Amino acid sequence: MAQYSLKLDGVFQALADPTRRAVVGRLGTGPASIGELAAPFEMALPSFMKHIRYLENTGWISTHKTGRVRTCTLERKSFDVIETWLSGQRSIWDGRTDRLGRFVTINAMETSE
Amino acid sequence: MAQYSLKLDGVFQALADPTRRAVVGRLGTGPASIGELAAPFEMALPSFMKHIRYLENTGWISTHKTGRVRTCTLERKSFDVIETWLSGQRSIWDGRTDRLGRFVTINAMETSE
């Protein structure tokens, strides 16, 4: 549970940055090299690499080196982690809505008696 | 666009912490006072209040003070911000899948000619 919580911390933290979100978006169209990914950003390569490593450490991307080229691939399972969290929140609300619904129904019945 | 990006930074950053996620989850069951929200955490009140203010500043919750009691309410529209971002990512993939689908179809047609 603590490990899952730490994983969620990282998954969300990774998305709290515009450069990292842009990289995730670009990799949604298919794998790309570090050079291709860095091209649109006015950023020194070491700074850009920090973002790549952060995305890799938090499970958003995997990287693979062939010769001198490192290729990055999106790991879609991180989206599942978010979806699972979101659907957990939705069931909390639905539970609440159900209870509210029952409350309204019961009160309506009592009033009509 | 820059403002939307800053909003996304905050929305995701707010979720990158287990205390803040727990508060969001608790408020999913209905509004609660600061005292009720803080009770499950072994944390000094000033530290807990930092999390509350962060959630308020990033639009996750609203707070309302009556007498000496401050009540917090979940602002579900922050979930919409995440859902919109997620569905944007999905359309990127779907576009890719469509292109892949067409590629496979065209190549299958060429092979069968």
Side-chain angles (χ1 to χ4, degrees):
Chain A
M1 194 62 194
Q3 208 172 358
Y4 173 69
S5 182
L6 278 176
K7 188 170 177 62
L8 272 178
D9 287 4
V11 163
F12 283 122
Q13 183 73 60
L15 296 182
D17 177 275
T19 304
R20 292 195 293 262
R21 284 196 303 274
V23 168
V24 166
R26 165 61 188 85
L27 291 177
T29 68
S33 70
I34 300 284
E36 288 171 309
L37 290 173
F41 300 100
E42 291 183 4
M43 195 183 285
L45 193 62
S47 304
F48 187 75
M49 285 306 294
K50 277 188 193 166
H51 288 303
I52 294 294
R53 274 192 292 270
Y54 199 91
L55 286 169
E56 195 176 16
N57 292 339
T58 52
W60 275 102
I61 66 170
S62 61
T63 75
H64 174 81
K65 201 168 182 179
T66 310
R68 298 178 67 171
V69 177
R70 183 172 292 277
T71 304
C72 304
T73 307
L74 187 65
E75 291 292 328
R76 294 201 196 176
K77 61 182 181 297
S78 292
F79 287 94
D80 299 339
V81 175
I82 296 190
E83 300 275 11
T84 304
W85 185 80
L86 281 175
S87 74
Q89 298 303 308
R90 265 186 234 108
S91 15
I92 293 174
W93 306 339
D94 291 347
R96 189 192 166 199
T97 316
D98 286 355
R99 283 195 302 277
L100 260 177
R102 275 197 298 276
F103 177 80
V104 170
T105 312
I106 290 165
N107 277 274
M109 283 165 65
E110 284 178 357
T111 318
S112 66
E113 273 168 9
Chain B
M1 194 63 195
Q3 209 173 357
Y4 174 68
S5 182
L6 278 175
K7 188 171 178 62
L8 272 177
D9 287 4
V11 163
F12 284 123
Q13 183 73 58
L15 296 181
D17 177 275
T19 304
R20 292 196 293 261
R21 284 196 303 275
V23 169
V24 166
R26 166 62 188 84
L27 292 178
T29 67
S33 71
I34 300 284
E36 287 171 310
L37 290 172
F41 300 100
E42 291 183 3
M43 192 182 290
L45 194 63
S47 306
F48 186 75
M49 283 307 293
K50 278 188 194 168
H51 289 304
I52 294 295
R53 275 192 292 270
Y54 199 92
L55 287 170
E56 196 176 15
N57 292 338
T58 52
W60 275 102
I61 66 170
S62 61
T63 76
H64 175 81
K65 202 166 182 180
T66 309
R68 297 179 67 172
V69 177
R70 183 172 292 278
T71 304
C72 304
T73 307
L74 187 64
E75 291 293 327
R76 293 202 196 176
K77 61 182 183 295
S78 292
F79 286 94
D80 299 338
V81 176
I82 297 190
E83 300 276 13
T84 304
W85 185 81
L86 281 175
S87 75
Q89 299 302 309
R90 266 186 231 106
S91 15
I92 294 174
W93 307 338
D94 291 346
R96 189 192 165 200
T97 317
D98 286 353
R99 285 195 300 278
L100 260 177
R102 278 199 294 278
F103 177 81
V104 170
T105 311
I106 289 165
N107 276 273
M109 282 165 67
E110 284 177 0
T111 319
S112 65
E113 275 168 8

